[in-house]
Amino acid sequence: MIVEVGHFALVLALVTAIVQFGLPLIGARIGDDRLMETGEVTAVASFALIALAFTALTAAYVGSDFSVMNVFQNSHSAKPMLYKITGVWGNHEGSMLLWVLILAFFSALVALFGRDIPASLKANVLSVQALITVAFLLFILLTSNPFERLLPAPLEGQDLNPILQDVGLAVHPPLLYLGYVGFSVAFSFAVAALIDGRIDAAWARWVRPWTLVAWIFLTLGIAMGSYWAYYELGWGGWWFWDPVENASFMPWLSGTALLHSALVMEKRAALKIWTVLLAILTFSLSLLGTFLVRSGVLTSVHAFATDPSRGVFILAILTLFIGGSLALFAFRAQTLESGGLFAPISREGALVFNNLFLTTACATVLIGTLYPLVLEVLTGSKISVGAPFFDLTFGPLMIPLLLAVPFGPLLAWKRGDLLAAAQRLYFAVGTAMAAIILTLAFTEGMRILAALGFGLAVWLLAGAVTDLALRTGYPRVTARVALRRFTGLPRSAFGTALAHAGLGLTVLGVIATSAFQTELVTAMKPGDIREAGGYQIRFEGLAAREGPNYREEVGGFTLSRGGVAVTQMESAKRFYPARQMPTTEAGIHTHWLSQTYIALGETTNGATVVRLWYKPLITLIWIGAVVMALGGTLSLLDRRLRVGAPARARRRKSETGAVAA
């Protein structure tokens, strides 16, 4: 019965979303407050109904109700409870339901917490959000119904894809979708502004918190997905330029540009048209990622669906929203004011420089991702665009951008002094030069590129520290005064510095791992010893084990250094009978910021193929992403990013004064 309730809730949510789309839009056009207010009520109602449907599907998974086709295809009664729950979104239908749930959640947040947004703008935003919801609810109900029944009901399920039976799956998709779908709010604000034909600095102030929330979650989602692929797939790499990885990376690049562009618009009322376009393009790239994953045009460990009919439906959604919004932009852009002027050497100029390189890098990734698909459609030829292309195109675009990052916060608005900013960065320059010299001195061979990479990473870290130090007035003031000023800095200042420092940490991890990792592929028998990264690895042998829904052969290893045992490690090859699929479970030991990584291969004539890696400072790649997200969170907590906070503060002050009088 709960399954039918969930299905009916989805149908009601569709009806509610249609009402949410129509009535507020009409109300905004004719100036009817009551019609505009219906958007708030229907947004909350839609979220409640979709949440009910999602709860019903979760209950079917937890109860192993194999009369539901989706549960039968993606669950098993012996599967651990955690993976029964995460299996809800470990498939196409369930993940789309999660996608729409998060979309409705953001709409409800706008309705509940957008009290200071002008009524007509808010009504139009909720209307656009509702139209997106309607499109994807139709997609679910017509092509991807998660509540479809099987009669008679099978006694057992087919189990979840083994590589998705991992704790990372519990975290990665929800984080990624919160990022993907969060950009829908910026998109809706952009379309709503185009409908009204009016955009100003206040618009940027309303958009920036929502964009920041989406950017934070997308940063964490990409990092979690990278780490999941690193330890779960047994390939030993942290990024593969997989087309579906690229599909999540492109909105991140565009969203980062949008954050900086919105800052210019908020502070200086400049880059108005460009910021609106970026808001449209960022969510368009999120929709493109959805199409790539679910259309069947790609073969990837990340891809869910291979049904072309679903791809055609999503392509129609892309045409509606991307084509429609760009057409509206082309029609309205000429009526919008372009904004204030500024000198090329200024903080605005630095942020434009940032936008130029981020969007160009995004376009490069887009071309490398779509070119093989377009070529196959036009000529029938199949080619693969892999890491060499992206390394040669994306990498050089990032170098000037990273070099410019510390300059931005030190330049004045409207007109800056580049020489003065460079002089204030003497500490960062000296620290970066020292890093380059030390790298060359203490590594074997002339690793010039690695040394320059370390210098670049340290330049970013030292630049972030310099920014905070200069804000306190140090060293022109005493340490006590500087400390007092430091504690009084706005949270956005700490957020900016942390985000830039996190980028430096990630760059440091990427350079160290790429330049100095060691890899050994060898056949080992019990008792054999190999060395990697200064550690001795002794193979103790294989042992068979049974899991709840799998069998595995586990290889035991002893990790030693200087003859002293450090730890015991295990790596395994699993087999899942229900799916008839094998997986590799890597053994990973973290020592400080570096890792030893072991993956098992085939066993022949008593010898097992073993792949050994030593990866120096690799954890900095993901630590840096977490630090970036923490910086974004601090910026989000800044009072100036709480829409209407100054107005409410003034209102409370005036009320207090009136009472006192």
Side-chain angles (χ1 to χ4, degrees), residues 134-446:
V134 168
F136 279 95
L137 282 175
L138 283 173
F139 173 72
I140 291 173
L141 290 169
L142 297 179
T143 72
S144 309
N145 182 9
F147 299 108
E148 186 175 345
R149 288 283 195 180
L150 278 175
L151 294 175
L155 296 178
E156 191 53 85
Q158 295 179 341
D159 209 356
L160 181 65
N161 187 336
I163 65 172
L164 301 181
Q165 295 188 37
D166 184 83
V167 176
L169 181 68
V171 180
H172 169 54
L175 287 176
L176 202 63
Y177 289 177
L178 283 165
Y180 266 162
V181 182
F183 285 124
S184 69
V185 180
F187 172 85
S188 297
F189 267 98
V191 173
L194 290 172
I195 293 172
D196 278 346
R198 183 162 47 96
I199 185 170
D200 52 22
W203 178 91
R205 191 160 54 251
W206 291 315
V207 166
R208 206 152 68 88
W210 299 104
T211 305
L212 196 51
V213 167
W215 182 87
I216 291 167
F217 282 116
L218 188 56
T219 301
L220 293 173
I222 292 173
M224 185 66 249
S226 167
Y227 192 65
W228 169 78
Y230 167 73
Y231 72 76
E232 177 63 25
L233 300 181
W235 297 345
W238 55 273
W239 191 262
F240 308 101
W241 291 110
D242 178 285
V244 182
E245 287 178 330
N246 296 347
S248 64
F249 191 43
M250 289 184 289
W252 187 88
L253 291 170
S254 181
T256 305
L258 174 60
L259 274 178
H260 292 86
S261 179
L263 178 63
V264 175
M265 183 176 168
E266 179 186 348
K267 298 291 185 181
R268 305 299 304 169
L271 302 182
K272 293 181 179 180
I273 297 174
W274 171 244
T275 304
V276 170
L277 179 60
L278 269 182
I280 292 172
L281 292 179
T282 300
F283 184 60
S284 298
L285 289 170
S286 296
L287 291 176
L288 178 64
T290 303
F291 170 73
L292 292 176
V293 175
R294 301 168 196 288
S295 61
V297 301
L298 293 178
T299 301
S300 165
V301 296
H302 305 80
F304 280 126
T306 57
D307 185 352
S309 63
R310 291 171 175 168
V312 171
F313 201 112
I314 296 182
L315 188 60
I317 293 175
L318 259 68
T319 303
L320 171 64
F321 290 107
I322 299 178
S325 60
L326 291 177
L328 180 61
F329 175 81
F331 178 71
R332 285 287 201 178
Q334 294 179 352
T335 66
L336 300 176
E337 295 182 3
S338 59
L341 300 177
F342 52 86
I345 304 300
S346 61
R347 190 174 298 188
E348 296 98 325
L351 294 172
V352 169
F353 183 87
N354 159 292
N355 271 224
L356 174 64
F357 278 87
L358 281 173
T359 52
T360 303
C362 181
T364 299
V365 177
L366 179 65
I367 291 169
T369 303
L370 295 184
Y371 177 72
L373 304 178
V374 175
L375 186 67
E376 183 177 356
V377 170
L378 296 179
T379 67
S381 303
K382 291 188 176 183
I383 66 167
S384 176
V385 175
F389 168 81
F390 293 104
D391 292 342
L392 289 173
T393 55
F394 182 82
L397 285 171
M398 288 294 100
I399 293 172
L401 175 61
L402 297 177
L403 287 172
V405 165
F407 282 94
L410 303 185
L411 291 171
W413 292 105
K414 199 169 185 180
R415 183 179 298 275
D417 188 335
L418 187 61
L419 180 59
Q423 290 173 341
R424 290 195 292 270
L425 286 167
Y426 65 90
F427 169 74
V429 173
T431 309
M433 292 299 296
I436 294 172
I437 294 170
L438 290 174
T439 303
L440 291 173
F442 290 98
T443 56
E444 297 179 1
M446 291 296 290

Side-chain angles (χ1 to χ4, degrees), residues 421-660:
Q423 290 173 341
R424 290 195 292 270
L425 286 167
Y426 65 90
F427 169 74
V429 173
T431 309
M433 292 299 296
I436 294 172
I437 294 170
L438 290 174
T439 303
L440 291 173
F442 290 98
T443 56
E444 297 179 1
M446 291 296 290
R447 296 179 179 266
I448 296 176
L449 291 179
L452 292 175
F454 276 134
L456 183 59
V458 172
W459 162 253
L460 291 168
L461 291 165
V465 173
T466 300
D467 177 31
L468 290 178
L470 291 174
R471 286 174 182 269
T472 65
Y474 189 80
R476 298 190 308 274
V477 300
T478 64
R480 175 178 290 184
V481 173
L483 180 60
R484 187 169 66 247
R485 291 182 179 179
F486 180 81
T487 57
L489 288 176
R491 291 171 184 167
S492 60
F494 291 107
T496 299
L498 272 179
H500 292 171
L503 182 59
L505 290 174
T506 295
V507 171
L508 187 59
V510 170
I511 298 298
T513 303
S514 302
F516 298 108
Q517 75 172 358
T518 58
E519 179 182 359
L520 177 65
V521 181
T522 180
M524 300 181 70
K525 294 183 178 180
D528 286 352
I529 298 176
R530 300 289 187 270
E531 184 168 332
Y535 288 85
Q536 296 79 46
I537 301 156
R538 175 187 170 92
F539 182 39
E540 304 296 347
L542 295 173
R545 279 202 308 229
E546 290 282 339
N549 60 335
Y550 60 83
R551 301 187 300 269
E552 65 177 349
E553 273 196 328
V554 182
F557 298 85
T558 300
L559 188 69
S560 304
R561 190 178 183 94
V564 178
V566 175
T567 188
Q568 299 294 317
M569 297 180 63
E570 289 186 349
S571 181
K573 291 187 71 66
R574 289 181 180 174
F575 181 76
Y576 290 77
R579 282 272 181 167
Q580 292 292 300
M581 281 184 62
T583 64
T584 299
E585 303 298 317
I588 300 175
H589 175 67
T590 302
H591 13 259
W592 295 101
L593 299 173
S594 305
Q595 290 184 335
T596 298
Y597 186 108
I598 303 175
L600 292 182
E602 299 299 323
T603 300
T604 307
N605 299 325
T608 302
V609 175
V610 180
R611 300 188 72 177
L612 307 172
W613 284 272
Y614 176 71
K615 297 177 174 292
L617 303 184
I618 190 169
T619 57
L620 286 179
I621 294 173
W622 303 295
I623 291 173
V626 173
V627 172
M628 281 189 273
L630 179 60
T633 303
L634 280 177
S635 294
L636 188 65
L637 294 175
D638 192 287
R639 180 175 182 79
R640 291 174 296 179
L641 271 188
R642 294 183 224 158
V643 176
R648 287 195 294 272
R650 286 193 298 270
R651 189 161 54 246
R652 284 195 301 269
K653 186 175 180 179
S654 64
E655 290 171 356
T656 303
V659 171

